[in-house]
Amino acid sequence: IKKIQDDYLEIQNLFGQVSLSRLRLQEQIQLLDKKDEENKQKFYDVQKNEKQFLDKITKKYGDGSLNPDTGVFTPNK
């Protein structure tokens, strides 16, 4: 009987460990989801800034292309 009781206690402990591990993983997933949303927002902000910049230089210089390495703008013909 003692062996059976010990086996049940061990199983209960194992269930508890699994539950705690699951809880920790859920917390990590929530943190990752939050970071993912923050990164998406940063991405959208960069896209918005890029569009505003392109609209500004297109208005000022007309259609063309800008070499990001040299900063040289080449107008379209």
Side-chain angles (χ1 to χ4, degrees):
I1 291 179
K2 177 72 172 140
K3 169 75 169 114
I4 292 171
Q5 289 175 333
D6 289 345
D7 288 346
Y8 274 122
L9 284 175
E10 181 183 354
I11 291 170
Q12 287 174 341
N13 285 334
L14 292 172
F15 274 123
Q17 289 173 3
V18 168
S19 294
L20 289 174
S21 293
R22 183 172 291 167
L23 181 63
R24 287 185 189 111
L25 284 172
Q26 288 170 343
E27 289 174 352
Q28 288 177 342
I29 288 170
Q30 288 174 346
L31 288 173
L32 288 171
D33 287 342
K34 182 180 176 185
K35 284 292 185 187
D36 189 46
E37 286 302 315
E38 290 172 1
N39 290 338
K40 284 179 187 176
Q41 187 58 52
K42 287 178 184 179
F43 176 75
Y44 296 139
D45 291 344
V46 169
Q47 280 188 319
K48 179 182 170 187
N49 290 339
E50 177 187 33
K51 183 179 179 334
Q52 289 173 344
F53 174 75
L54 290 175
D55 290 346
K56 184 178 174 182
I57 64 167
T58 300
K59 183 177 179 182
K60 186 172 183 177
Y61 299 106
D63 287 332
S65 61
L66 178 66
N67 183 327
D69 295 327
T70 63
V72 174
F73 178 79
T74 307
N76 286 346
K77 300 191 184 222

